[in-house]
Amino acid sequence: MRHIESVYIVEPINQGWIIESLMRDISAALSQKGVRTRIGGSKDYRGEDVIFNSRFLSAMFDSSAKVNALFITHIDDSLKEMQLKGSFNSFNSFICMSPQDADFVAALKTNRAGVVGIDLPARESKVRPIRLAMFSACYQDGRKNEQWISEYFQKKSKIHRQSFVFCFMGWGWEQFCTSLGELDMNYEIYRYSRLTPGEYDLYKEILPSMDALIYLGFDGGAMSVYDGINAGIEIIVSNISYHRGLGGAVTLFDDKVGFFRELDRLHENHTKRKEVLQERSVVAYVDQLLTHWNILLQGERPSHDGVPVDALRPTEAETLEMFRGHYKRLSLSRIRSAVIRFLQSFFVK
């Protein structure tokens, strides 16, 4: 069975935009999978299996290539639609930025042959840790219930622990943080002398860099709850005193179990973010890209979700109407750009 062995990514011009960066990510991922990949202008093609046009409005075609592919980005006026339609008889691979975009292109094409929707990949898969602020002094009698933090994480995995950064703002946190250090957890201590002019304001300047403010004490409430509201961050505090009645900006908990439940929620959301970015990674994108091209190389005409390639889904007509409903009016600048693209097409092989 034949497989794609080489890809030529056509770059008519490098404008330093996200498309150029993305194509270099794709090129690197293809190379890691053993697919010879080059990036260059339309005159530098050397017989690669696939010609992948990064700019579908300035595309080159070569009949010797096994696959002539277009990377289809934004179609937001009738002239771009007209130009795309003009490519349907020449090109055999139409890479869209999502399944919905593929429905739109299939509707324009009146069939799904060669059309694939692969969700645009993220360029970075790391998610920064959740930053939780504790804006209070620490006391030896444990009145702020800070020991709940170390207790919660004692039986958690290293990955779970590393998903958080606890940021303590105030006096007396050094000794407690040794327990977090023993768990190899992330923490920061912000301590300003009480003689420093504007000490309290310096603490408040830090709050907007946090994801949430927490307060674990049931000792009458903390004024920092108002500072958290001022900073526009999430607030997770004990259900007591004037913490109540502050509306949806504040999440209240009744006890240690309730606080643990909130940490579970934050970690679950953080994990989902990482999973989404992994699913949308460049490596996952390239896997789908190669699957599509290899199918074309075999000359197969697969169905999509049980729908033959020559049939259209009922929703595609609605998608067509929806996309066209957002088209921009043909201003002089758009018409000028279309004319320039048309003239440039004569210089593209």
Side-chain angles (χ1 to χ4, degrees):
M1 182 179 293
R2 296 177 299 169
H3 293 281
I4 297 298
E5 296 180 356
S6 56
V7 175
Y8 184 61
I9 299 175
V10 183
E11 187 174 81
I13 185 172
N14 188 339
Q15 297 177 305
W17 289 357
I18 188 63
I19 291 179
E20 284 79 23
S21 297
L22 180 58
M23 288 299 151
R24 278 152 181 77
D25 293 341
I26 292 171
S27 175
L30 284 168
S31 297
Q32 288 175 0
K33 292 183 175 296
V35 179
R36 299 190 309 277
T37 307
R38 294 189 306 119
I39 299 176
S42 59
K43 304 300 182 182
D44 297 325
Y45 174 59
R46 299 175 189 167
E48 283 85 355
D49 293 337
V50 177
I51 294 175
F52 187 26
N53 286 281
S54 62
R55 302 267 178 181
F56 77 100
L57 295 174
S58 302
M60 68 162 284
F61 171 86
D62 194 303
S63 59
S64 65
K66 298 178 177 67
V67 176
N68 281 274
L70 298 180
F71 179 62
I72 302 173
T73 52
H74 309 292
I75 305 169
D76 56 5
D77 65 44
S78 57
L79 291 177
K80 291 180 182 178
E81 175 185 314
M82 185 183 305
Q83 188 169 349
L84 176 61
K85 284 181 175 179
S87 69
F88 288 156
N89 291 330
S90 300
F91 295 84
N92 62 342
S93 173
F94 305 90
I95 313 300
C96 304
M97 295 193 297
S98 73
Q100 183 189 38
D101 291 274
D103 285 346
F104 172 60
V105 172
L108 291 177
K109 194 170 179 287
T110 69
N111 65 71
R112 301 192 66 85
V115 179
V116 65
I118 310 175
D119 288 312
L120 199 69
R123 298 199 61 227
E124 177 59 66
S125 60
K126 293 191 293 293
V127 179
R128 71 174 180 83
I130 306 161
R131 294 173 62 79
L132 299 182
M134 182 82 165
F135 190 1
S136 168
C138 183
Y139 298 87
Q140 290 186 351
D141 61 9
R143 70 185 71 171
K144 304 302 180 183
N145 292 322
E146 64 275 4
Q147 68 276 7
W148 291 357
I149 298 172
S150 53
E151 183 178 340
Y152 172 83
F153 284 97
Q154 280 178 355
K155 296 183 179 180
K156 300 299 181 182
S157 68
K158 291 182 179 179
I159 293 177
H160 195 125
R161 295 172 187 171
Q162 292 165 5
S163 297
F164 291 85
V165 179
F166 284 87
C167 304
F168 300 97
M169 302 163 58
W171 283 50
W173 289 104
E174 290 80 2
Q175 183 175 351
F176 167 71
C177 285
T178 60
S179 66
L180 301 187
E182 290 170 357
L183 294 171
D184 195 25
M185 289 180 57
N186 305 310
Y187 66 86
E188 299 171 0
I189 299 174
Y190 298 88
R191 177 196 178 280
Y192 298 109
S193 169
R194 288 170 180 162
L195 299 178
T196 302
E199 173 214 5
Y200 195 77
D201 289 334
L202 291 174
Y203 287 123
K204 290 199 295 183
E205 288 176 4
I206 301 168
L207 276 179
S209 69
M210 304 296 165
D211 294 302
L213 171 78
I214 60 173
Y215 186 78
L216 314 185
F218 284 81
D219 55 347
M223 285 292 291
S224 59
V225 69
Y226 296 130
D227 299 321
I229 293 175
N230 293 147
I233 62 177
E234 184 176 357
I235 301 162
I236 304 169
V237 293
S238 53
N239 185 8
I240 194 170
S241 190
Y242 55 85
H243 292 175
R244 299 179 175 187
L246 294 174
V250 178
T251 299
L252 302 173
F253 57 84
D254 295 317
D255 50 26
K256 178 173 67 175
V257 173
F259 173 60
F260 285 4
R261 189 180 300 118
E262 293 305 316
L263 290 180
D264 287 342
R265 174 181 61 83
L266 292 173
H267 180 258
E268 181 180 356
N269 291 339
H270 188 264
T271 300
K272 287 179 179 178
R273 287 172 178 261
K274 292 192 291 185
E275 289 173 349
V276 164
L277 291 182
Q278 286 296 326
E279 292 170 359
R280 296 282 180 94
S281 70
V282 174
V283 172
Y285 181 88
V286 165
D287 285 340
Q288 295 179 73
L289 202 56
L290 288 174
T291 296
H292 166 68
W293 285 337
N294 282 322
I295 287 173
L296 293 178
L297 189 64
Q298 308 310 320
E300 299 177 19
R301 292 167 59 80
S303 64
H304 295 257
D305 301 333
V307 181
V309 292
D310 293 325
L312 294 179
R313 297 186 179 94
T315 57
E316 287 169 355
E318 298 173 4
T319 303
L320 183 62
E321 182 178 356
M322 185 275 290
F323 271 78
R324 283 176 169 168
H326 292 284
Y327 277 6
K328 303 302 180 184
R329 297 181 63 180
L330 292 178
S331 62
L332 287 177
S333 62
R334 284 182 175 267
I335 294 173
R336 181 173 62 250
S337 296
V339 171
I340 292 172
R341 291 195 302 267
F342 177 75
L343 294 175
Q344 287 176 336
S345 67
F346 288 100
F347 298 96
V348 178
K349 185 170 67 173

